[in-house]
Structures are given as structure tokens and as C-alpha cells.
Amino acid sequence: MSVEEYLENKANVLRLHSIRSTTKAKSGHPTSCLSSAEIIATLFFNVMNIDPKHMDYLDNDEFVLSKGHAAPILYAALAEAGVIPRDKLMTLREFDSELEGHPVPRIKGIRVATGSLGQGLSIGLGMAYAKKLLGIDRRVYVLLGDGEVAEGSIWEALNLAGKLKMSNLVAILDMNRLGQSEPTMFQWDWRAYAERVKAFGWNVTVCDGHDVKDLIRAFDEAKKSDKPFFIIAKTVKGKGVSFLENVEGRHGRALSEEELNKAEKEILPKIKDIDFQPQNFIEAKVPIEPQKKYSIKTDYKIGDMVATRVAFGRALVKLGEQNDKVVVLDGDVKNSTFTIYFFDKFPERSIQCYIAEQNMVGMAVGLQTQGFDVFLSSFACFLTRAYDQIRMATYSRANLKIAGSHAGVSIGKDGPSQMGLEDLALFRALFGSIVLYPCDAVSAEKLTCEMANYENISYIRTTRPKTPVIYDNSEEFHIGGSKVLRWSKNDEVTVVAGGVTVHEALKAYEKLRAEGINIRVIDCYSVKPLDAETLIKASEETKHIITVEDHYPEGGIGEAVAALGLKPHILAVRRMPHSGEPEELLAEQGIDAAGIIKKVKELVE
Amino acid sequence: MSVEEYLENKANVLRLHSIRSTTKAKSGHPTSCLSSAEIIATLFFNVMNIDPKHMDYLDNDEFVLSKGHAAPILYAALAEAGVIPRDKLMTLREFDSELEGHPVPRIKGIRVATGSLGQGLSIGLGMAYAKKLLGIDRRVYVLLGDGEVAEGSIWEALNLAGKLKMSNLVAILDMNRLGQSEPTMFQWDWRAYAERVKAFGWNVTVCDGHDVKDLIRAFDEAKKSDKPFFIIAKTVKGKGVSFLENVEGRHGRALSEEELNKAEKEILPKIKDIDFQPQNFIEAKVPIEPQKKYSIKTDYKIGDMVATRVAFGRALVKLGEQNDKVVVLDGDVKNSTFTIYFFDKFPERSIQCYIAEQNMVGMAVGLQTQGFDVFLSSFACFLTRAYDQIRMATYSRANLKIAGSHAGVSIGKDGPSQMGLEDLALFRALFGSIVLYPCDAVSAEKLTCEMANYENISYIRTTRPKTPVIYDNSEEFHIGGSKVLRWSKNDEVTVVAGGVTVHEALKAYEKLRAEGINIRVIDCYSVKPLDAETLIKASEETKHIITVEDHYPEGGIGEAVAALGLKPHILAVRRMPHSGEPEELLAEQGIDAAGIIKKVKELVE
């Protein structure tokens, strides 16, 4: 049997698995699998260098299924390669199965979650960048659907990959003409794609996506390219099953039992006994090293005026010195987020992502799959741009360290477009996330180190204005901790603060004390998880509890404390934010010392 | 004085205002203003048809400052056009001033907020689409920064505008070479932009952005274009002030007083007495009509099985029949969100945005500025893709009606990539938003009508599975309301539910009642604002309160209820979500009837 016959055979085997498993599951996207059968077969059984026994090793070629709804055919390929047992395929989409409706990294051979479209190319770019950093001469292959190419994130990735001349990155467009609800923007107009992608700095070829010989030719060209390579594969949705081919209204619908029988009769005759063995399987040798343990020492004096964003930047350098696996990404704001310290010291491990936050997050997800400890930073408000990517990163089980600067109205005159006022809500609402919010330089550095040591998604919120150092360099901070900064046996009210409002609470403490009113002040630097024990104890020992935060009331510190079953009075940003001096804005929102004092007096009088 | 001399004069007047006002404010982006002085002068005082007395009327040309950080020069142009008084300019960025650090629609001549980069072109596309719908032969001009062109949302907008041949849309690229932290991706390589934009279906010209004659030529070409038109204006950042021209490290920094003096000495000699009057001012005649009042009647039978997403789609048709200003946008999921009913009935007012959610939201913001009542829909989870645009829409004071379908684990087998599990948190955390969550078809239709009548940002959460109709067609629903579905004097526990969990709570009620335990069941269909009165009353009358929601615990119904000072036991999605049958998944998360019963028994025993 020739290579071509072998691959055609395999393609039809993959087709068979795809339609059988989706019919068994009574749902899924068989027609989207059928169009990519030859592409997947050619990649997995001819083109890619993979070690089915060690798919998690670094010296494999990588495959990212950006069109995640074609998951069944990816599972089929992994089964045919011997990565998972064939009989697992029929558990598709079941409650107890790792073979979910869209890919998640619960089996080897799948490193990331996909299914929210338009994200895979950024992830692939991150993987390709990582391979280059590691000095591993392997390629990353990303399979794109034609519908998802409408997503701007695809163009962010194409743009940066083109600029970086990322020659180990190959994208394949499964141009099957039909989207979910109607034909795609450009249907089979391959020139529309070719012109666009070429203009973005890629080499491009067009091929018949159902002709394995033509596919092999295209992949050979890709291997010789000095730029990232884009293969436009002309395909037919539903290919191989006559009554599904190029038919509208069949997206995301499994075949009925009857249809399956008909389809099998068409496919089975094309499958011969397979004796040929795949030639592309390798013996991989480079496992991913376990994450390193980091530590940070600080050298500040109490009262030093240092913005937490500056301290964060300094901490990054200290982490970078401990491990060359630390990588930092920034979106053209490095001089504001202070990742510039890292960029200046470790340029080779610093990635300027320009103003394209979605691609930045996607790249970070790709990089961390290759064993890097990845920090990314932007203004807190601009991270909202990439929230879908961040959400998906949780399903990728990604180890991702995200920093958002310029949080709150305390940024002042730039106005609300630049204010992160919903970031605590967004990052708290991620599965398995931690959310940290330092108020001074010592805690900012040490919490950055906590993030480095955490193996899931973490977020640190930093602020623009300088704030005084209040902690001794010997203080320790940990995930789920807090600091009781002021307390006495006569405390009448507990004030729970974070970041800038900690300093307001301390000012309020002094003024109230002078009037004979004692308040307890807690620095709630770990917003998720909260230090429940300390907060509950405080609420038992004082009559009232106030939370005060530079954030909208929804989903922030106040609601987090309320969810503990305490009854906080929530001081937060409740009026339309706008430009002004930080002090004026904190005052207007009632989250400065005066606002705290006013509330305390209301409660104790 | 010739037109050219007049415009050159004006450009320097605008420069002067820009540097003076930013120095007074001690912050801002003067160099980003200086590069666009001739562009802005030519637009406002030669090219655009505007009525400075009626900038809010529909028959003006429109201008969108996508590079929002150049706000001072926009304010300067509006002052020179007589829209705002000149002396207001020196209040820039002050606490009490409408002239904020980045544009917000607090003065006439500014319809939207900008400042989060890459969003203006989508807004402009929406405006241009609206003008065509209205039959108004006016153009929309969007000024882009070169840094922001890295944003994928720009390419989403370019793509759809190209496909739609939106010939009344003109983009101008202020190609000043320098980003915030370093040079832009392509610096002055105009070919890089020209090739890309041409490939996206636009006509393109290049001009000297400091030569008003060349600018006029470019704008004349734009007027003749049969496609959207892109002007690449070669400019110099800091132009007109010798020591700022093309200098790195001067982004977002005001001039010192001393620098200002030096700069004024360079600019003032270029300003002559101005006698020429602008020729482009018109008398606008088409005001925006006030929003119409909508009503909806339903015709369901109790027990009918209808998904809320279907009812939402039906309601859209009823609204569309009442007013031809209703427009609906969808991102290639109309057959899942059921906007397809509207698309089929009113194709001319239905916009297929393909899989590009950011551009969809931006377009919707643009459309609503022109007096349209705009609904947009996608899966709840994919709306996270456009959260930055949605956040900015609140600062645009936009009247926007957003529908998110397929919320929660109740979607079942497709898995977490398709599950909206953080949407309540995201939409609650928007300033001035309302969040609605119907559990049956009657409430879904009537709440859709409530959204239509609301004049700010509203969100409706719909679900995938069919649910029984539980409300009579005569029932009324309102923002801030709730329904007490089951109650007695002996209720021991209140169960607050929303959407799918309402039906679980009703099942739990029956089973518990059979065991002699009475619970109160509340349909919390208005998640923001909550019906505080009813919830507080219930908590006073029953010993315990449980919330149960198909959403992550953070920022959802439970925390909203907790923030009222009640102490709910929060049942929510607390385990990693995955594929499975809806019933299995609800059970696993403990948010089905059995989960509710278990919790109730824990509390009462």
C-alpha cells in the first residue's frame, strides 16, 4: 500500500470514528470533522514528528485544533496513533469521559482547551515561540475553521507571527464554505484568504484538502518556508457522506441511526486492511521539568513611596534571575506596568505583543504548555479585552500569571476608559483562580513571588499612584492570607480594605482614634481566596464590618466578604466615574478616609 | 487667505490649544494631538458637513476619534467650530469638566466614549450602516492611531466593512510611527498597512498628513469611492514643536511650563489673523426621535415546553413589528439564539456579523447613536470576547440590549467552552446595567420588552433546554421585580432561584412538602437590580435563605443577595465543569432539586 493509499484509508477510518461517536453521543459536529479527515490523517500519520507514547514531551511537533468543535476527529486520530484506546472513542461527550464535546487537556496529545473560536493560532504562536526559545527544532500545526477567521484574534496572531517570521508555525485552513448559521463570509473564495494572509507576512499555498498527495506537497513547502506558512485547504463540509456534502443546516447535528447506517455503507468500502506503519513516529526525549520554587527578598524602608506596579516590575527581575523559564509578555504598556525592568534585563525572554491583548493571552497559554512560567501584563481595564481567552485558559488548566495595573478611580485624570473597575469581579469568577491585591511595595513583590509558585491562574492588581511602604521586609504573605494592621480589644468596627484603600483606612484609624473611636483595619491582600478565619473572627469581635474598595460593588471585595455570611457595609465605586485628581475621585465615591470615617460614625452613633 | 492657508492656520490653533490645555492639566497626550492637527483641521473646517449648532442631529457627517488619547485636539476643534466655548478648553481633565482625559459623550459633537484602543472603527461602521438604513447621505470619518491597528477588532471592522462595501465610511490612519512604549510594529512602512487594508476590500490612498492640500485630495478621493476608504496619513509625532518631533519617550506626557513657552514661540508665528469662514457648515434638520414605548402580549399555555431563547426570538419579531428602528445583530449563531426569527422577517434590519463579537458590539454602539433600538445576541460565553467593548459602551451611555444564550452547565454535552458561567458577574459589574434572567417563555418575552423600553445597557440571560411555561399570559414582569411562586406561613427556608433552577426549586418544593417541610420559592428574574424588599421580607419570615444558580459563585445571584445583608447559602457551580447530560451536570454541581433538598434538610434538621 502506498503512502497515499494508507493516508486515504486512515482518513476514512477517522471519518468512521467521527460519525459513529457523535451518533452515539446524539450530538456533536460530524460534518466539521468530515471536511478535515484528510488534513488530520496526513498530519498525524505522515507529516508530524510525534511520539504517541510521550505526547507530553517537548520534542514533539505540536497540533492545535483551533476549530475545537471537530474534537471527535482529533480523538479519532489520537486513538489511531495509539495515544488513547480505540474503544474510548464511543464514550464521547459522556459525563465520565475525558473526551468532551470540545477538546480539553485531559488526555495526552491535547495541551489546551479550544472551542471558543479564533483562539488556537495565538496558542500555536506561543508554542512556536517556546520551541525556538528551547532550541527545539519542531513545528506547530494549527487547524483553523473558515468561520473563525472572522475573529480579530486570528489577525492579531497572523500579524505578530508574520512580523516575527515564525517559520516553525503552520496554519491550515479547513475552507469548507459553511458556517453555523449560513455560508461563511468568503465561502470558497480562496483568493480572499490568500491575499489577506500574504499581506500579513505569511507564505501561502492552496491545495485540495481531500487530496493527500496535494496535502503532502503543501506540508513539504511549509517545511522549507522562511516565514510562517498558511495552507488553504479547499474542502467540502460533510465530505465522504453523499447526503451531507456541502449541505446547509447540518452544522452541529449528529447523524441519526438510520443516517449512520447509510453513511457507513459509503465509507466502509473505502477502508482496506491496513498493513503500512506510520513512518513519522519518533522517540521523544525531552520531558517537561517540574515548576521551580521561587523566593523573593525585599529591601524597602517603611514610609518609602513606591507604586505597587513598580514593585511588581522589580519582582519580575528577581524571578527572572532565578530561572530562565520565566517569560514576560506586555502589550505596549511596559513603561506603565513596569515590566520594562524585565524587558531591559532579559530581552530574549520578553515579548512585545503590541496593542493586541487577545493574542498576548493566547501566546501566554501556548508558552506555558512548553514549561515556561509566564507573566503577562497590561492595564487592568485592557485585560477585559481578552477575557474570553482568559476564561478558556482555565479550561486549558493553564499556569498563567496575569498582572493588571492602573486599577480603580485612583488613576485619576485619564478617566474611566483607563480604569480597571470590574477586574476583581472578572478574575474572581474564573474557576480555580487566585486574586491578589497588594497595598505596598513589600507585599507587591512577595505576592508576585506567590504567583510564580502557584500552578494555576493567578491575578495581581496593581495601582498607579505611589503608596507608602507599610510592611517590614521580613513580613510574609501568602495566598489566602490577610494582615490585621490595627486592632484593640475595644474595636467597634472592622474595616476591610485592599490596595489604595488600605492607606485610607489607616488614615481613618488615626482620626477616629483621636476622637475615641477604635476601628480594626484589615489589609485584605488575598481577595480570592479570602482569609475567612480572620474576617469571621473580626466580625465576631466588632459590631460592624465595612469593606472599602476602588472597584464597582458587584463581584468585588465587599460581595466576597458578604458571601462568607458576614454583613459588610460595602463602600465601592457607585457613581459614574470620570476624570479628576485621584483624591477627588476617591472622595466622590466615598472610599477615602473621610468616606470611611463617615460610615463608621453612622454605625457607632 | 486661501483655503490651504486657513486650514494650516487652524491646525496650528488646534496645536496651541492642545499643548496649553494638557500643560494646564499636567497630564495628557500632546504629542499624539500634534501629529493629527492638519487631519483634524481639514476634516472639521473643510471636509465634513456639520452643523455646529445641531451636532446631535442625524444629518451631520460623523467623526469618531478612535485614538481617544488625542481628546484635547478634538475638544479644540469643537471649540473652534463653536460647539463648545473656547475657554472651556482649559478645564481639561478637571474634576468638574466634561472635557475628560479621553472622550465621553458629555458634550455635543461626541457621541461615544473612546480611549480603549481599536474600538472606533466598529463604532464608525455601525454609524455608517445606520446612515444607510436612514437613507441619509452622510459620511463617517474615523481617526485611527497606528498603534491601535494591532488590535484584532480593527480587522474585524475592516473585514465586514469591506464585505458590505460601506462606501460612506472613511478611516484615516495617523501614522506617526511611535507607540507608547516603543515604535509601532510597522513604523512608517505605509506599504505594510496599504497591502493589508487593500486585501480587506478597501480602497486606499497615502498622503502627507501635514499637507492640507494632499489631505483634501485624499478626502476628495474618498468621496468618490465605491468601497470604504482608507487614508494612510504620514505624520510625525509631536509635529510642530521641534523638540518633540519624532522623539521617543514623550507619549502621554504634558509639556512643562518652560517647554510650553518654547513651543508657543514656535507655533504662534504660524498663526495669522483668521478672516476666512469655514465653508462646510450646514444647517442640519433631522433630530433624533425619542425612544418608542413597546409592549408585548404572549400566548402560551401553562406547561408548554419552550426554551427561553426561543421566546426571546419571538419577542424580537413582535418588537420589530412595532417600530422599524429595531435592529438585531448576531454573530453566526442566529439559529441557536433564535434571532433567526427576526432575520427571516426583517432581513434589512438584521446584521450578520459573523464570528466577530467585538465588532458586533462596536457596531451596535454606533447604530444606537443614530436612534436605533439595538439588540445583539450570541452565546453568553462568547460575549466575554467583547467585554472591553461592552464596558466602554457604558461610558458611551449606550442604549444597548444584549442577549446571551446557552448559559450555564445546563447546555450539557458541548462542554465548558460553550457554557456562560461568569456572565452574571460580568454584566452586573457594568455601571448602570440591568440583568434579567427569565425561567419560562412568558417571562422571557415580557422581559425582552422591558429591555426594549430601558434606555441604558441591559442584559438578558437565556438557556438552551426547553423549560415548562409556569406563568399565565397576564402576568407582568418589571425591572427590579421578582415572583414569589410558593409560600405559606410555615415556610422554613427561602429558595431564591433563576432560570433553570427555578424549575428545580419547584420540584424540590413538591418533594419537601410531601415530607412536611415548607419552602418559599422565589423566581429572581431581575438579577440587577434585585427585588430587595421581597427578598428581605422572605429572609425575615423564614429562618434560612438559599440561592441556587447555574453560574460560578462569584458575582452571581448568591453574592448579589448576600450584598443585601442577608446570609444566603449559595448553591452554584463549584466544580470544574465538563460535558455530560444537563441533568447529570446540574446534579454534580448540587444545583438541581436533589441538591436543594439536601441543603434544606441540612438547615432545618
Side-chain angles (χ1 to χ4, degrees):
Chain A
M1 189 184 276
S2 71
V3 172
E4 286 79 14
E5 278 175 293
Y6 174 74
L7 294 175
E8 283 160 14
N9 251 294
K10 273 289 184 203
N12 282 308
V13 171
L14 301 182
R15 285 199 166 94
L16 205 59
H17 289 317
S18 301
I19 59 174
R20 282 177 173 168
S21 61
T22 47
T23 294
K24 171 96 189 308
K26 293 195 176 67
S27 65
H29 302 76
T31 57
S32 304
C33 295
L34 295 173
S35 65
S36 58
E38 281 77 17
I39 299 168
I40 299 271
T42 307
L43 274 169
F44 275 81
F45 303 104
N46 183 268
V47 174
M48 289 202 298
N49 297 294
I50 51 171
D51 179 351
K53 291 193 187 66
H54 298 101
M55 291 293 278
D56 52 332
Y57 279 28
L58 293 168
D59 49 342
N60 284 286
D61 282 338
E62 303 283 347
F63 177 76
V64 180
L65 183 69
S66 189
K67 50 173 284 186
H69 50 289
I73 198 161
L74 171 57
Y75 303 145
L78 291 172
E80 288 298 313
V83 180
I84 56 171
R86 278 203 186 94
D87 57 13
K88 200 184 252 297
L89 294 178
M90 295 303 273
T91 69
L92 178 71
R93 292 176 162 244
E94 286 179 7
F95 181 80
D96 291 321
S97 176
E98 300 95 342
L99 306 189
E100 298 199 26
H102 293 74
V104 281
R106 295 175 63 188
I107 53 172
K108 287 189 182 175
I110 298 179
R111 294 207 196 262
V112 294
T114 52
S116 180
L117 292 169
Q119 301 193 11
L121 193 59
S122 299
I123 294 171
L125 173 56
M127 288 175 170
Y129 200 103
K131 299 281 187 205
K132 293 225 171 183
L133 279 179
L134 293 166
I136 292 176
D137 185 21
R138 292 287 182 227
R139 282 187 177 71
V140 180
Y141 296 89
V142 180
L143 183 60
L144 300 170
D146 47 356
E148 68 176 320
V149 177
E151 285 285 7
S153 49
I154 293 281
W155 299 93
E156 293 180 4
L158 286 165
N159 205 22
L160 192 60
K163 181 169 169 71
L164 296 173
K165 297 194 188 300
M166 198 57 57
S167 57
N168 59 343
L169 180 62
V170 182
I172 309 100
L173 181 70
D174 180 359
M175 190 182 62
N176 68 21
R177 197 183 76 88
L178 296 174
Q180 172 179 324
S181 70
E182 58 179 69
T184 60
M185 281 180 104
F186 304 113
Q187 305 199 32
W188 277 324
D189 178 8
W190 60 267
R191 284 183 190 83
Y193 297 106
E195 284 165 15
R196 284 165 166 75
V197 175
K198 263 186 211 162
F200 274 69
W202 288 52
N203 285 328
V204 179
T205 194
V206 185
C207 74
D208 179 342
H210 299 303
D211 177 342
V212 296
K213 208 167 165 177
D214 205 19
L215 279 162
I216 291 172
R217 188 263 312 156
F219 285 117
D220 279 344
E221 271 189 50
K223 287 180 185 170
K224 291 171 201 148
S225 176
D226 57 341
K227 297 177 183 179
F229 200 81
F230 198 90
I231 298 171
I232 300 169
K234 291 188 280 187
T235 59
V236 175
K237 199 158 175 172
K239 178 74 180 183
V241 178
S242 59
F243 57 90
L244 296 177
E245 286 188 3
N246 198 24
V247 173
E248 286 193 49
R250 287 300 307 228
H251 181 93
R253 276 178 55 197
L255 285 71
S256 67
E257 288 286 348
E258 196 184 341
E259 288 174 329
L260 178 64
N261 286 337
K262 266 178 73 181
E264 286 193 358
K265 278 181 196 141
E266 297 186 22
I267 295 173
L268 281 169
K270 297 179 195 161
I271 300 175
K272 292 162 202 158
D273 268 353
I274 294 172
D275 50 358
F276 189 87
Q277 284 306 308
Q279 299 299 303
N280 61 325
F281 290 172
I282 58 160
E283 201 177 317
K285 291 180 177 167
V286 188
I288 295 182
E289 287 163 30
Q291 191 174 359
K292 229 182 161 167
K293 180 90 186 154
Y294 299 89
S295 64
I296 273 187
K297 284 186 182 165
T298 57
D299 185 25
Y300 293 101
K301 286 193 193 102
I302 303 285
D304 279 356
M305 293 299 290
V306 185
T308 50
R309 56 184 172 134
V310 171
F312 163 75
R314 290 176 183 162
L316 287 185
V317 174
K318 293 179 189 175
L319 298 171
E321 283 165 349
Q322 291 167 52
N323 187 355
D324 62 8
K325 291 284 165 61
V326 177
V327 171
V328 176
L329 292 78
D330 193 286
D332 194 24
V333 286
K334 65 186 178 189
N335 52 343
S336 292
T337 61
F338 286 94
T339 56
I340 194 165
Y341 296 148
F342 189 93
F343 273 66
D344 286 348
K345 182 101 187 234
F346 307 107
E348 71 288 358
R349 290 188 269 136
S350 302
I351 308 180
Q352 171 61 277
C353 293
Y354 300 95
I355 309 175
E357 296 78 9
Q358 296 188 70
N359 180 58
M360 175 164 69
V361 173
M363 275 187 80
V365 171
L367 279 153
Q368 62 84 38
T369 67
Q370 308 294 304
F372 287 93
D373 292 334
V374 187
F375 281 84
L376 70 87
S377 96
S378 185
F379 283 28
C381 61
F382 302 141
L383 293 170
T384 62
R385 196 63 155 263
Y387 192 67
D388 195 15
Q389 278 79 2
I390 294 168
R391 174 183 82 83
M392 287 298 294
T394 65
Y395 304 127
S396 288
R397 282 74 169 166
N399 176 351
L400 208 58
K401 299 132 195 346
I402 304 178
S405 70
H406 293 69
V409 299
S410 72
I411 70 158
K413 294 181 174 183
D414 271 338
S417 66
Q418 319 291 304
M419 295 170 177
L421 288 166
E422 53 291 288
D423 55 319
L424 295 178
L426 266 62
F427 282 95
R428 285 185 63 238
L430 295 170
F431 188 87
S433 66
I434 63 163
V435 177
L436 305 172
Y437 188 12
C439 74
D440 84 339
V442 172
S443 52
E445 287 208 36
K446 297 207 172 178
L447 290 171
T448 304
C449 185
E450 290 294 298
M451 293 173 82
N453 288 325
Y454 189 66
E455 298 200 5
N456 208 316
I457 289 220
S458 54
Y459 175 66
I460 190 167
R461 182 183 219 223
T462 66
T463 38
R464 184 182 170 280
K466 289 179 184 174
T467 45
V469 169
I470 62 169
Y471 290 113
D472 188 85
N473 293 305
S474 65
E475 288 274 357
E476 295 297 330
F477 297 82
H478 60 91
I479 293 164
S482 71
K483 295 282 178 188
V484 181
L485 295 175
R486 299 287 183 274
W487 69 278
S488 74
K489 285 185 182 164
N490 310 316
D491 293 340
E492 297 184 69
V493 179
T494 295
V495 177
V496 180
V500 285
T501 63
V502 170
H503 305 282
E504 300 301 319
L506 291 174
K507 284 183 227 163
Y509 168 87
E510 295 298 338
K511 288 192 182 156
L512 286 164
R513 192 156 175 251
E515 297 181 43
I517 302 169
N518 286 300
I519 62 171
R520 185 165 302 183
V521 177
I522 298 179
D523 174 6
C524 180
Y525 66 77
S526 177
V527 176
K528 181 183 176 187
L530 282 178
D531 184 354
E533 196 183 332
T534 299
L535 293 169
I536 291 169
K537 182 165 177 280
S539 82
E540 287 165 355
E541 292 177 0
T542 64
K543 271 194 216 108
H544 309 282
I545 187 161
I546 294 173
T547 59
V548 53
E549 62 195 303
D550 193 358
H551 186 274
Y552 286 134
E554 296 88 2
I557 295 173
E559 290 197 351
V561 170
L564 292 178
L566 312 180
K567 289 186 177 186
H569 299 268
I570 300 174
L571 305 183
V573 176
R574 293 181 187 273
R575 305 181 70 173
M576 175 63 98
H578 55 87
S579 291
E581 294 287 353
E583 300 71 30
E584 291 173 316
L585 300 177
L586 292 172
E588 181 186 37
Q589 302 291 351
I591 56 173
D592 65 345
I596 295 167
I597 290 167
K598 187 170 164 239
K599 193 69 189 178
V600 168
K601 287 186 175 174
E602 262 176 50
L603 293 174
V604 300
E605 274 160 15
Chain B
M1 190 182 274
S2 69
V3 172
E4 287 77 15
E5 277 175 294
Y6 173 75
L7 294 175
E8 282 159 15
N9 251 294
K10 272 290 184 201
N12 282 307
V13 170
L14 300 182
R15 285 200 165 92
L16 205 61
H17 289 317
S18 300
I19 58 174
R20 282 176 174 167
S21 61
T22 47
T23 293
K24 171 95 191 305
K26 293 195 175 69
S27 65
H29 302 75
T31 58
S32 304
C33 295
L34 294 172
S35 66
S36 59
E38 281 77 17
I39 299 167
I40 298 271
T42 306
L43 274 169
F44 276 80
F45 303 104
N46 183 269
V47 173
M48 289 202 297
N49 297 296
I50 50 171
D51 179 352
K53 291 191 187 66
H54 298 101
M55 290 294 279
D56 53 332
Y57 279 28
L58 293 169
D59 49 340
N60 284 285
D61 280 339
E62 303 284 349
F63 177 75
V64 180
L65 184 69
S66 189
K67 49 173 285 187
H69 51 289
I73 198 161
L74 172 57
Y75 302 145
L78 291 172
E80 287 298 313
V83 181
I84 57 170
R86 277 203 186 93
D87 57 13
K88 200 182 252 297
L89 294 178
M90 295 304 273
T91 69
L92 177 72
R93 292 174 162 246
E94 286 179 6
F95 181 80
D96 290 322
S97 176
E98 299 95 342
L99 306 189
E100 298 201 27
H102 293 75
V104 281
R106 296 174 64 188
I107 53 173
K108 287 188 182 175
I110 298 179
R111 294 206 197 260
V112 294
T114 51
S116 180
L117 291 170
Q119 302 193 10
L121 192 59
S122 299
I123 294 171
L125 173 56
M127 288 175 169
Y129 201 102
K131 299 282 188 206
K132 295 224 169 181
L133 279 179
L134 293 165
I136 292 176
D137 185 21
R138 292 287 183 226
R139 281 187 178 71
V140 179
Y141 296 90
V142 180
L143 183 59
L144 300 171
D146 47 356
E148 70 176 318
V149 177
E151 286 284 9
S153 49
I154 292 281
W155 298 94
E156 293 180 4
L158 286 166
N159 206 23
L160 192 59
K163 180 168 170 71
L164 297 172
K165 297 195 188 300
M166 198 58 57
S167 58
N168 59 344
L169 180 62
V170 182
I172 309 100
L173 181 70
D174 180 0
M175 189 183 62
N176 67 22
R177 197 184 76 86
L178 296 174
Q180 171 179 324
S181 71
E182 58 178 71
T184 59
M185 281 179 104
F186 304 114
Q187 305 200 32
W188 277 324
D189 178 8
W190 60 267
R191 283 182 190 84
Y193 296 106
E195 283 165 15
R196 285 166 167 75
V197 175
K198 263 186 212 163
F200 275 67
W202 288 52
N203 286 326
V204 178
T205 194
V206 185
C207 74
D208 179 342
H210 298 304
D211 178 342
V212 295
K213 210 168 164 177
D214 205 20
L215 280 163
I216 290 172
R217 189 264 312 156
F219 285 116
D220 278 345
E221 271 188 50
K223 286 179 185 170
K224 292 169 203 151
S225 177
D226 57 341
K227 297 178 182 179
F229 199 82
F230 198 90
I231 299 172
I232 301 170
K234 290 189 279 187
T235 59
V236 175
K237 199 157 176 172
K239 177 75 179 183
V241 178
S242 58
F243 57 90
L244 295 178
E245 287 188 0
N246 198 23
V247 173
E248 287 193 50
R250 286 301 305 227
H251 180 93
R253 276 177 56 197
L255 285 72
S256 67
E257 288 288 348
E258 196 186 340
E259 288 174 329
L260 178 64
N261 287 336
K262 266 178 72 181
E264 286 193 358
K265 279 181 194 139
E266 296 185 25
I267 296 173
L268 281 169
K270 296 179 196 161
I271 301 176
K272 293 162 201 156
D273 269 351
I274 293 173
D275 52 358
F276 188 90
Q277 285 304 308
Q279 298 299 302
N280 60 325
F281 290 172
I282 58 160
E283 202 178 316
K285 289 177 180 169
V286 188
I288 295 183
E289 287 162 29
Q291 191 173 359
K292 229 181 161 168
K293 181 89 186 153
Y294 299 89
S295 63
I296 274 187
K297 283 185 180 164
T298 57
D299 185 23
Y300 293 101
K301 286 194 194 99
I302 303 285
D304 279 357
M305 294 299 290
V306 186
T308 51
R309 57 185 173 133
V310 171
F312 162 74
R314 289 176 184 161
L316 287 185
V317 173
K318 294 179 187 175
L319 298 171
E321 283 165 348
Q322 292 167 52
N323 187 356
D324 62 8
K325 292 285 166 60
V326 177
V327 171
V328 176
L329 292 78
D330 194 285
D332 194 24
V333 285
K334 65 187 178 188
N335 51 344
S336 292
T337 61
F338 285 93
T339 57
I340 194 164
Y341 296 149
F342 189 94
F343 272 66
D344 286 347
K345 182 99 187 234
F346 307 107
E348 70 288 357
R349 290 189 267 136
S350 302
I351 308 180
Q352 170 61 277
C353 293
Y354 300 96
I355 309 175
E357 296 79 9
Q358 296 192 55
N359 180 59
M360 175 165 68
V361 173
M363 276 188 80
V365 171
L367 279 152
Q368 62 84 38
T369 68
Q370 308 293 301
F372 287 93
D373 292 335
V374 187
F375 281 83
L376 68 88
S377 94
S378 185
F379 283 28
C381 62
F382 302 141
L383 293 170
T384 63
R385 196 63 156 262
Y387 192 67
D388 195 15
Q389 278 79 1
I390 294 168
R391 174 183 82 85
M392 287 299 293
T394 66
Y395 305 127
S396 289
R397 282 75 169 164
N399 176 351
L400 207 59
K401 301 136 196 346
I402 304 177
S405 70
H406 293 70
V409 299
S410 72
I411 70 158
K413 294 182 174 181
D414 271 339
S417 66
Q418 320 291 303
M419 294 171 178
L421 288 167
E422 53 291 288
D423 55 319
L424 294 178
L426 267 62
F427 282 94
R428 285 184 63 238
L430 295 171
F431 188 86
S433 66
I434 63 164
V435 177
L436 305 171
Y437 187 13
C439 73
D440 84 340
V442 172
S443 53
E445 287 208 36
K446 298 207 171 178
L447 290 171
T448 304
C449 185
E450 290 294 299
M451 293 173 81
N453 289 324
Y454 189 66
E455 298 200 4
N456 207 316
I457 289 222
S458 54
Y459 175 66
I460 190 166
R461 182 182 220 226
T462 66
T463 37
R464 184 181 171 279
K466 288 178 185 173
T467 45
V469 170
I470 62 168
Y471 290 114
D472 188 84
N473 293 306
S474 64
E475 288 273 357
E476 296 297 329
F477 298 83
H478 59 89
I479 293 165
S482 71
K483 295 282 179 190
V484 182
L485 295 175
R486 299 288 184 274
W487 69 277
S488 74
K489 285 185 182 163
N490 311 316
D491 293 340
E492 298 183 67
V493 178
T494 296
V495 176
V496 180
V500 284
T501 63
V502 169
H503 304 282
E504 300 302 318
L506 291 173
K507 283 183 228 162
Y509 167 88
E510 295 299 338
K511 287 193 183 159
L512 286 164
R513 193 156 172 253
E515 297 182 43
I517 302 169
N518 286 301
I519 61 171
R520 185 165 302 184
V521 176
I522 298 179
D523 174 6
C524 180
Y525 66 79
S526 176
V527 176
K528 181 184 176 188
L530 282 178
D531 184 354
E533 197 184 330
T534 299
L535 293 168
I536 290 168
K537 183 164 176 280
S539 82
E540 287 165 356
E541 292 176 1
T542 65
K543 271 195 217 111
H544 309 281
I545 186 161
I546 293 173
T547 60
V548 53
E549 62 195 305
D550 194 358
H551 185 275
Y552 286 134
E554 296 88 1
I557 295 172
E559 291 198 351
V561 170
L564 292 178
L566 311 181
K567 289 187 178 185
H569 299 269
I570 300 174
L571 305 183
V573 176
R574 294 181 187 273
R575 304 180 71 172
M576 176 63 99
H578 57 88
S579 292
E581 294 288 353
E583 300 71 31
E584 292 174 315
L585 300 177
L586 292 172
E588 182 187 36
Q589 302 291 350
I591 56 174
D592 65 344
I596 295 167
I597 290 167
K598 186 170 164 237
K599 191 68 187 178
V600 168
K601 287 187 175 173
E602 262 176 50
L603 293 173
V604 299
E605 273 159 18

